[in-house]
Amino acid sequence: MKRLRRLVIFLLVCACLAFAGYAYLINHQVAERFKERLWDVPAKVYARPMTLYPGMQLSAKSIGRELALLGYRRVETQVQLTVPGTYTRYHGRFVLNCRPFDFGAQRRPLRRIELTISGGRITRLKTGGRNVDMEQLDPVLIGQFYPSSMEDRILLATEDIPALLKKTIVAVEDKNFYSHYGVDFKSIFRAMVINIRQGRFTQGASTLTQQLAKNFFLSPEKTFKRKISEAFVAAAIERQFTKEEILEAYINEVYLGQDGPRAIHGFGLGAQFYFGKSLGLLSPGETALLVGMLKGPSFYNPRVHPDRALARRNTVLGLMADQGLLSSAQLTKSLGRPLGVIPVPRQWRFPFYLDLVKRRLLDAYREKDLKTMGLRIFTPLDPLVQLAAEKGVADFMAGRHSKLQAGVVVAAGATNEIQALVGGKQPKYKGFNRALDAKRPIGSLVKPVVYLSALERPEKYTLVTRIKDGPVSLKSGGRLWKPMNYDKKFHGELPLYQALVHSYNTATVRLGMDIGLEAVFETMAQLGFKPAAPLVPAMLLGSFEMTPVQVAQVYHTLASGGFYTPSRVINAVYTPDGETLQRYPLHIEQHLDPGAVFLVDKTLQAVVRQGTGKSLSRWLSPKLGIAGKTGTTNDLRDTWFAGFSGNRLGVVWVGRDDNKSTGLTGASGAMQVFGRIMAQIPNTPLVLTPPENIEWAVIDPEIGRRTNHNAPGALAVPFLRGSAPVLSDAVPDSAAEVDPPPPTNSGPDKQPVQKKKPRYLIDWLKDVFK
């Protein structure tokens, strides 16, 4: 008997030790788990916030698009403007109930904005009934970097959680929450009786703490073993945390539905997803619906099963009234209201642009950090420009060969901020990003680099220096290379600018070889791209490969007068608490002589007016003074266009992934996409201001020398100071001098030169240089 007693005692001691050891282990695991970040929160990537000001060029259609992208809902009257994220419109007058937004560096509060649009511009802007000089909307969320679980949530602190929500959750899910220690034994016993009677697990009787334990540590299946583990974990949580901390964690953790692959977790995101509001703005009925969904988010999904959801909401409202959380009047009012659920918010995804953002971020952050730390990333993407770029591609592709593809980059002229990026004709497809990765021969896009290299040598080359367009035969790679012009003709001697305007191949090769390949491609390196060695003559016609983003960098340096600014994709990165992690300031370096770049830019304006880009006038007014260059590669495999207005730069590539012929040239392919895009967005005229080292002279185009103002066909031409041609013998010095032309708002610079009836006149040069 003694032996049995000792054995029993020994076994009891062992059981107690095992129990204590297991409890200690669980307690340690819980402590370690809660020391770390509890949730993996995806990084959120935002577009630029729209800045409004009187005089801003903005159409009613454009502001409507912006509000749609933001998820703002239109209501009929101002009386209905009770919820942030709503607006009214009467013709050109908009009244917005704006959401608050934390930009990190500043916070925008709840406010009402009124703006009036007339003639395509903002004519009046008010905030809170007072005239203001500027306002800023909240930015469009363009995408997120999700963790592998695809969970999404908006984290809330205790002070951000409404008391009504806390009390309702306790009333519905765990009435004894504030009195138990993680496990409610009375509820467990009652559930066990029901389960025994029914022969299966139908009642769980889990407390809020147990539900939290299950979500964080355990599997969801209903087994006896899991329930035992759940009790231990719940007890450990209760020992280490206060009831308020447990409730806060529960409110942030719970699952409330699905948005495609994205899982909606927590009441903060649930309020946004179902009602388009922050949690603090929910009505009692909306609060009741979300709490009611805890019983089964799919079964009570208000968008799929509105009748079930309505019944469940009303049940919860009744419980709230029973607990004294609602008055009888509030209950009656809430029961009479509809669910009020908004349509599924459109997740505006720009995957190609998001791909670019991610690549830039990975230079400074680990991919894991982007998916777990809840970073907020602000970019210069302009959603309206992005949509215009996507539409420009789609409209061009409609009815054309199914295998045609495109890559587009649009950047701000002043800052080189990339405002839009399209990596293929299917803009929502997360696939091969042609704007970043399609390395294709650039063809004639390289020619401005050749001519810039020449014009940087004013002692030898000016715009009117006569060069030869004739047969070329060069040894390259052990073979004889004989380039030809696109029209299969040679054009003899002609002014340098005319060879660029008409994109003559043989004249360009002769010029480039005279300057030297090393010199030409050193110039290109200063513009922002250095081709890999070895250098061969065919590179003068663009035989080397670049991506659209790389081309945009080179042409931006041209558009900015020789000042190099690295492309910008990120403006700032903040932690969820608003702490600045990183800013990306504007960086500018002078790489090239502004005077030589000015001469090239003036010639690129002539390319669009009267050269290979003249059909752009179908889409854009000549008054804009667009400068640009077409590019076409062998057998019409690639078509390019790079161009810029006074405020934007655009680069377009159109081709096929299989490298077969498109049947298109730069003018009939990529340039048509460029025109479609730019026609949809505000552009300012390109007015090129001559740098200090530019002088003007009146030139006789027949002989390339200075002449009298009144000479037939006389033209005012810009030169780097000191490089203008010598005077003809019969022309006095004073007669050939001319002041620089004043800039105008109507397009390219104009110089009023009095002439008799001309015997000879190059029209396109007249339009650009006179």
Side-chain angles (χ1 to χ4, degrees):
M1 195 68 181
K2 285 185 178 180
R3 273 180 150 184
L4 182 59
R5 189 181 300 118
R6 287 175 182 172
L7 179 61
V8 170
I9 292 172
F10 176 75
L11 292 174
L12 286 174
V13 171
C14 289
C16 289
L17 289 174
F19 180 91
Y22 185 66
Y24 175 81
L25 178 64
I26 291 296
N27 196 64
H28 178 72
Q29 290 177 344
V30 168
E32 289 299 312
R33 175 71 174 86
F34 278 77
K35 276 182 183 177
E36 302 173 358
R37 186 173 54 250
L38 295 184
W39 296 280
D40 290 340
V41 180
K44 289 180 167 57
V45 183
Y46 294 95
R48 60 92 189 97
M50 177 176 275
T51 300
L52 307 171
Y53 53 89
M56 175 184 178
Q57 188 177 352
L58 182 70
S59 67
K61 184 178 180 180
S62 293
I63 185 68
R65 284 182 177 174
E66 184 82 14
L67 294 173
L69 289 166
L70 285 166
Y72 276 52
R73 291 177 291 143
R74 184 176 179 178
V75 295
E76 295 302 317
T77 65
Q78 291 192 40
V79 177
Q80 297 173 291
L81 287 176
T82 56
V83 178
T86 53
Y87 73 98
T88 63
R89 175 186 176 183
Y90 182 73
H91 296 301
R93 182 171 176 265
F94 291 77
V95 181
L96 287 63
N97 190 351
C98 289
R99 303 184 186 117
F101 192 83
D102 183 359
F103 286 93
Q106 61 175 331
R107 294 188 177 188
R108 293 281 181 178
L110 282 167
R111 64 211 182 281
R112 186 167 290 195
I113 296 176
E114 179 183 333
L115 66 148
T116 304
I117 295 175
S118 178
R121 295 187 180 275
I122 296 178
T123 56
R124 178 178 295 178
L125 182 64
K126 292 185 175 182
T127 300
R130 301 178 61 181
N131 291 327
V132 294
D133 295 329
M134 190 191 76
E135 255 297 352
Q136 201 171 50
L137 302 183
D138 40 314
V140 173
L141 176 65
I142 63 173
Q144 302 184 74
F145 299 123
Y146 289 105
S148 57
S149 63
M150 288 299 293
E151 291 183 6
D152 195 9
R153 54 175 47 84
I154 297 174
L155 291 180
L156 302 168
T158 298
E159 59 269 21
D160 299 324
I161 302 172
L164 180 62
L165 175 63
K166 295 179 182 179
K167 293 176 181 179
T168 302
I169 290 172
V170 171
V172 174
E173 292 292 312
D174 189 358
K175 294 179 182 178
N176 301 318
F177 174 69
Y178 289 103
S179 60
H180 64 62
Y181 294 96
V183 180
D184 189 341
F185 292 102
K186 290 182 180 179
S187 298
I188 290 175
F189 180 76
R190 183 174 61 252
M192 286 177 62
V193 172
I194 295 173
N195 291 336
I196 291 171
R197 286 177 179 175
Q198 297 189 2
R200 58 192 178 92
F201 281 102
T202 60
Q203 297 289 314
S206 294
T207 64
L208 292 181
T209 314
Q210 285 176 280
Q211 292 180 45
L212 191 62
K214 177 186 67 177
N215 291 341
F216 272 120
F217 294 96
L218 305 168
S219 59
E221 77 270 15
K222 294 181 179 181
T223 64
F224 184 73
K225 180 181 178 182
R226 196 221 69 191
K227 294 296 290 184
I228 294 295
S229 299
E230 186 180 283
F232 273 92
V233 175
I237 292 173
E238 290 277 351
R239 278 196 298 272
Q240 300 188 57
F241 301 97
T242 66
K243 290 291 185 179
E244 283 301 308
E245 289 172 332
I246 293 169
L247 190 55
E248 176 190 325
Y250 178 86
I251 286 171
N252 281 309
E253 167 58 27
V254 290
Y255 172 70
L256 286 172
Q258 202 72 26
D259 178 24
R262 181 175 70 137
I264 307 300
H265 281 261
F267 281 86
L269 183 58
Q272 292 285 355
F273 182 65
Y274 290 106
F275 301 108
K277 303 178 183 180
S278 62
L279 192 61
L281 296 172
L282 293 185
S283 68
E286 292 162 344
T287 299
L289 176 59
L290 289 183
V291 173
M293 289 177 65
L294 293 173
K295 189 175 181 180
S298 298
F299 189 81
Y300 294 108
N301 186 329
R303 297 191 180 102
V304 180
H305 307 293
D307 293 338
R308 293 178 190 170
L310 183 63
R312 178 64 180 160
R313 182 204 69 174
N314 292 345
T315 298
V316 174
L317 284 170
L319 289 171
M320 293 166 72
D322 292 342
Q323 296 293 317
L325 303 179
L326 295 179
S327 66
S328 58
Q330 288 176 312
L331 175 63
T332 302
K333 183 178 180 181
S334 298
L335 289 172
R337 284 187 170 181
L339 291 175
V341 175
I342 64 172
V344 177
R346 298 183 71 177
Q347 288 293 306
W348 286 96
R349 297 285 186 266
F350 300 116
F352 291 122
Y353 195 95
L354 209 58
D355 180 28
L356 175 58
V357 172
K358 184 176 181 180
R359 295 190 198 195
R360 295 289 176 91
L361 286 169
L362 288 176
D363 292 338
Y365 301 92
R366 299 178 303 166
E367 185 165 1
K368 180 182 177 182
D369 296 336
L370 300 182
K371 295 181 176 181
T372 61
M373 290 179 60
L375 301 179
R376 295 190 301 142
I377 300 149
F378 293 89
T379 77
L381 179 133
D382 187 322
L384 299 182
V385 178
Q386 178 70 32
L387 292 179
E390 293 177 2
K391 188 176 187 301
V393 171
D395 288 352
F396 176 79
M397 293 293 178
R400 296 182 185 272
H401 197 289
S402 62
K403 291 191 176 181
L404 275 182
Q405 280 290 354
V408 176
V409 181
V410 181
T415 61
N416 203 15
E417 293 177 322
I418 295 182
Q419 299 177 325
L421 185 135
V422 179
K425 65 181 177 183
Q426 295 177 317
K428 306 305 178 191
Y429 172 65
K430 297 179 181 180
F432 181 55
N433 195 335
R434 293 162 188 84
L436 303 181
D437 299 320
K439 295 182 178 180
R440 306 299 291 254
I442 65 168
S444 295
L445 291 191
V446 74
K447 289 176 181 174
V449 183
V450 179
Y451 289 83
L452 175 59
S453 301
L455 293 168
E456 286 183 314
R457 294 157 175 77
E459 70 284 355
K460 188 171 183 180
Y461 293 106
T462 69
L463 287 175
V464 295
T465 300
R466 300 187 73 79
I467 61 176
K468 185 176 180 181
D469 180 59
V472 175
S473 180
L474 297 169
K475 283 188 177 181
S476 179
R479 303 178 64 180
L480 205 58
W481 182 56
K482 295 182 178 181
M484 284 293 296
N485 290 320
Y486 181 74
D487 61 4
K488 308 299 181 185
K489 298 177 182 179
F490 299 111
H491 305 87
E493 283 198 355
L494 70 167
L496 179 144
Y497 59 75
Q498 193 171 354
L500 177 56
V501 167
H502 294 292
S503 201
Y504 292 146
N505 291 337
T506 55
T508 301
V509 171
R510 285 174 169 273
L511 181 63
M513 293 304 294
D514 184 56
I515 299 167
L517 294 174
E518 291 79 6
V520 170
F521 290 104
E522 177 55 35
T523 300
M524 191 159 199
Q526 293 301 310
L527 287 165
F529 180 81
K530 188 171 185 177
L535 302 180
V536 297
M539 295 172 69
L540 296 169
L541 299 182
S543 65
F544 59 96
E545 297 176 337
M546 294 177 68
T547 67
V549 163
Q550 291 170 333
V551 171
Q553 179 67 70
V554 167
Y555 270 78
H556 183 269
T557 309
L558 283 176
S560 61
F563 289 86
Y564 172 80
T565 303
S567 62
R568 301 176 69 206
V569 182
I570 306 163
N571 291 332
V573 179
Y574 296 96
T575 66
D577 299 327
E579 178 187 350
T580 304
L581 282 184
Q582 195 165 359
R583 287 186 177 276
Y584 295 78
L586 188 65
H587 179 72
I588 303 174
E589 296 177 357
Q590 184 174 344
H591 279 194
L592 295 156
D593 177 7
V597 175
F598 172 82
L599 300 179
V600 170
D601 289 348
K602 291 294 283 185
T603 309
L604 292 179
Q605 283 184 316
V607 169
V608 174
R609 274 195 179 268
Q610 294 292 332
T612 58
K614 61 184 178 182
S615 61
L616 190 61
S617 61
R618 175 185 176 189
W619 304 101
L620 299 169
S621 169
K623 292 182 179 180
L624 282 174
I626 299 289
K629 185 71 186 76
T630 56
T632 311
T633 61
N634 291 343
D635 301 321
L636 307 182
R637 290 191 180 99
D638 303 278
T639 87
W640 292 87
F641 187 79
F644 47 94
S645 65
N647 64 324
R648 297 192 204 277
L649 163 79
V651 172
V652 179
W653 167 84
V654 173
R656 291 175 53 155
D657 292 339
D658 60 11
N659 201 32
K660 292 184 178 179
S661 176
T662 64
L664 301 167
T665 65
S668 63
M671 192 178 73
Q672 301 302 310
V673 177
F674 176 91
R676 285 173 165 85
I677 294 170
M678 291 296 190
Q680 298 178 68
I681 56 180
N683 278 280
T684 59
L686 176 61
V687 180
L688 296 171
T689 303
E692 292 182 357
N693 64 336
I694 289 292
E695 63 178 348
W696 295 74
V698 179
I699 299 298
D700 181 343
E702 288 188 355
I703 60 175
R705 291 192 175 190
R706 291 191 183 186
T707 188
N708 191 286
H709 288 75
N710 297 317
L715 303 172
V717 178
F719 296 88
L720 289 179
R721 190 169 300 281
S723 67
V726 297
L727 295 171
S728 298
D729 295 338
V731 181
D733 290 1
S734 59
E737 295 175 355
V738 61
D739 293 328
T744 68
N745 292 326
S746 61
D749 301 334
K750 302 287 185 180
Q751 171 61 28
V753 178
Q754 298 295 324
K755 303 184 292 293
K756 299 178 182 178
K757 288 185 180 181
R759 292 173 298 154
Y760 172 72
L761 187 64
I762 303 174
D763 291 337
W764 60 264
L765 184 60
K766 171 196 68 177
D767 289 338
V768 177
F769 292 141
K770 78 173 183 179

